[in-house]
Amino acid sequence: MTIGENANEGLTDHATLDSVQRAAFGYFLREVNPGNGLVADTSRAGSPASIAVCGFAMSCYPVAVERGWMTRADAVAYTLALLRFLRDSDQSGAAGATGFKGFYFHFLNMQSGKREWKSELSLIDTALLIAGALTAAAYFTHDTAGENELRELTEMLYLRMDWRWAQDGGVTITHGWKPESGFLNYGWEGYSEAILLYVLAAGSPSFPTVGDCYSAWTRTYQWENIYGHDVLYAGPLFVHQFSHAWIDFRAIRDRFMRGKKSDYFENSRRTVLVHKEYAERNPGRFDGYDDNMWGLTACDGPNDSMADVPSHSQRLYGYAARGVPYGPDDGTVGGWSALASLPFAPDEALCAARAMLARFPEMMSNDMYTSSLNPSLAQPGGQSWVSLGHFGLDQGIVVMMIENYRTQLIWKLMKKCSYVRRGLKVTGFQGGWL
């Protein structure tokens, strides 16, 4: 049975969630280079590897082992291939290198592992990469040669990351660096997925951040009341999901959240309700939006240069971080983002996933979510515009958040990680499971 055939009954039983989750995991088996463990950013021909997608892959392998989709031996082999490559790759920071100071360029050649597209040395994407390695190390704890090496490599890679260098003499952490021009001219301002980055940076026993780093970042937060919900604002939905894929923020609070009598998990729940109401209000009058058609996020999207985009009057953004309620918004929704919200608001997420699949089966290809669809741009035959191919970030967050909803596996693993626990405590988190 395919997902589309079961859409009318909805994503309400474990068998159907299992099918969606397994299909999403299949991306990491199809788009991996077994020789070096690198995983492609997208399924499109010629796509480079994304170091963030590699982090999601290493986090998804334990899920696959637990669910019988992959042998433990194969999971260890894939993870070791990647970790060995990361250990041995060129860290000189040259234009054609792989990384510098323990961090990695955002996009790498799938075969050679060298920098692609003159991409930046990405602090956040390296954080997602190392979070995946730490997840694997927390899961593969058997006393075998392979699993012992896996844990040793993870620790070595984490300990060599120079977070102090990444501050560039400032208070907060920079976005990234390029060999041609040095540090990028902007930093982290406002709530974002960087909370994971700051926790890992603070937890480092070798090169932790110095000064008032985390608190200085939280002082840039924007607290708002939107549609009657008091929320820490960040427009795109992925911001409220990515760090939560690894860290269980329920009932643990930093200084900022203690002051607001909330926590980051509750904030994500409220944000889902804001997205839901925004779509119901539909201020842009886009086709398809309603209380079960929501999820503006970072995703692929149509632009005027695409041959499959029909004539239209609105502005189109291509790949962009779409957000609520201030935009940008061009009628493009990431259908996967509803399922990635399962832990926060399961009833709302399941209803939305069921309704979207029933109305727009074209959002699924080979039982995997496309990056996005835009019902306002109808194709010949009446189907909505959909993104071609699949994106590793989308598939990875679906696997992880379905698993956290079902068994809390990733959360449980990361609670065992001493570096994460230390980082949370150093940044001021208290209560709950801490």
Side-chain angles (χ1 to χ4, degrees):
M1 179 187 298
T2 67
I3 299 305
E5 290 171 347
N6 200 41
N8 289 331
E9 297 177 8
L11 297 171
T12 56
D13 61 9
H14 285 291
T16 310
L17 280 178
D18 190 75
S19 182
V20 175
Q21 191 182 23
R22 184 170 189 172
F25 174 72
Y27 178 93
F28 299 101
L29 298 182
R30 287 188 297 274
E31 303 300 333
V32 66
N33 178 347
N36 58 22
L38 291 173
V39 184
D41 181 44
T42 80
S43 63
R44 294 169 179 169
S47 173
S50 156
I51 59 170
V53 172
C54 291
F56 275 99
M58 287 189 286
S59 301
C60 291
Y61 294 149
V63 176
V65 173
E66 287 294 298
R67 298 209 166 269
W69 306 333
M70 189 181 204
T71 67
R72 191 179 185 96
D74 284 347
V76 170
Y78 278 112
T79 306
L80 275 178
L82 178 56
L83 295 177
R84 288 167 179 163
F85 162 76
L86 295 172
R87 175 195 61 194
D88 299 335
S89 61
D90 184 351
Q91 276 276 311
S92 69
T98 299
F100 188 50
K101 295 287 186 179
F103 300 96
Y104 295 88
F105 291 109
H106 192 162
F107 298 109
L108 304 175
N109 183 278
M110 282 290 292
Q111 305 306 318
S112 69
K114 294 182 179 180
R115 178 192 186 204
E116 286 272 354
W117 296 345
K118 294 186 176 180
S119 58
E120 80 285 6
L121 192 83
S122 176
L123 280 300
I124 183 59
D125 291 283
T126 304
L128 297 172
L129 172 72
I130 202 66
L134 291 169
T135 305
Y139 180 78
F140 294 108
T141 57
H142 290 181
D143 186 15
T144 65
E147 297 192 23
N148 288 337
E149 182 186 1
L150 186 155
R151 296 192 300 276
E152 292 167 1
L153 286 174
T154 295
E155 184 170 34
M156 183 276 291
L157 293 170
Y158 177 54
L159 294 182
R160 79 175 181 182
M161 298 169 74
D162 193 341
W163 299 100
R164 295 175 185 174
W165 169 82
Q167 290 180 267
D168 187 29
V171 180
T172 57
I173 299 175
T174 62
H175 260 259
W177 175 90
K178 286 191 172 186
E180 297 85 2
S181 54
F183 285 99
L184 304 183
N185 293 324
Y186 47 88
W188 295 101
E189 291 189 5
Y191 177 56
S192 72
E193 72 279 15
I195 192 168
L196 174 68
L197 179 151
Y198 275 93
V199 167
L200 293 176
S204 170
S206 52
F207 301 105
T209 48
V210 295
D212 192 24
C213 187
Y214 179 76
S215 294
W217 175 52
T218 63
R219 287 195 289 271
T220 70
Y221 281 1
Q222 187 175 338
W223 186 262
E224 296 195 11
N225 184 281
I226 304 174
Y227 307 146
H229 300 285
D230 290 325
V231 292
L232 175 53
Y233 171 75
L237 197 51
F238 86 93
V239 166
H240 304 273
Q241 298 168 338
F242 272 30
S243 292
H244 295 257
W246 285 276
I247 301 176
D248 181 0
F249 285 102
R250 291 176 299 177
I252 63 172
R253 299 174 173 180
D254 60 7
R255 181 177 180 181
F256 180 88
M257 280 299 185
R258 286 195 296 274
K260 298 299 183 181
K261 294 181 172 56
S262 185
D263 60 54
Y264 291 100
F265 184 92
E266 170 62 17
N267 193 71
S268 291
R269 188 192 70 82
R270 295 178 190 176
T271 298
V272 168
L273 301 181
V274 169
H275 273 250
K276 187 173 183 288
E277 183 159 348
Y278 172 87
E280 187 173 10
R281 294 186 181 207
N282 193 11
R285 300 295 182 263
F286 294 112
D287 291 346
Y289 280 21
D290 60 32
D291 62 344
N292 279 322
M293 176 69 178
W294 49 266
L296 270 65
T297 191
C299 62
D300 194 24
N303 63 52
D304 293 320
S305 66
M306 294 178 172
D308 62 344
V309 174
S311 59
H312 57 88
S313 58
Q314 75 256 30
R315 180 181 177 184
L316 301 175
Y317 295 100
Y319 194 99
R322 295 163 175 84
V324 167
Y326 309 121
D329 184 8
D330 58 4
T332 302
V333 173
W336 53 268
S337 64
L339 276 186
S341 299
L342 265 173
F344 313 123
D347 290 342
E348 290 82 358
L350 289 169
C351 285
R354 176 179 62 188
M356 280 191 274
L357 285 176
R359 293 164 55 196
F360 304 106
E362 59 266 34
M363 73 165 53
M364 298 290 282
S365 171
N366 298 321
D367 282 354
M368 288 189 294
Y369 279 93
T370 61
S371 180
S372 61
L373 81 157
N374 189 315
S376 294
L377 300 177
Q379 303 293 293
Q383 289 190 329
S384 302
W385 181 93
V386 296
S387 171
L388 297 177
H390 300 95
F391 285 62
L393 292 178
D394 307 347
Q395 307 310 317
I397 194 69
V398 166
V399 172
M400 293 178 68
M401 292 303 259
I402 288 179
E403 194 60 36
N404 281 331
Y405 166 69
R406 299 174 76 180
T407 70
Q408 303 181 29
L409 174 64
I410 308 300
W411 290 343
K412 290 176 181 177
L413 291 173
M414 292 304 269
K415 288 174 183 178
K416 298 177 183 178
C417 179
S418 61
Y419 300 131
V420 170
R421 295 179 71 97
R422 181 175 185 271
L424 288 167
K425 291 180 178 179
V426 169
T427 50
F429 281 87
Q430 300 173 4
W433 58 268
L434 277 174

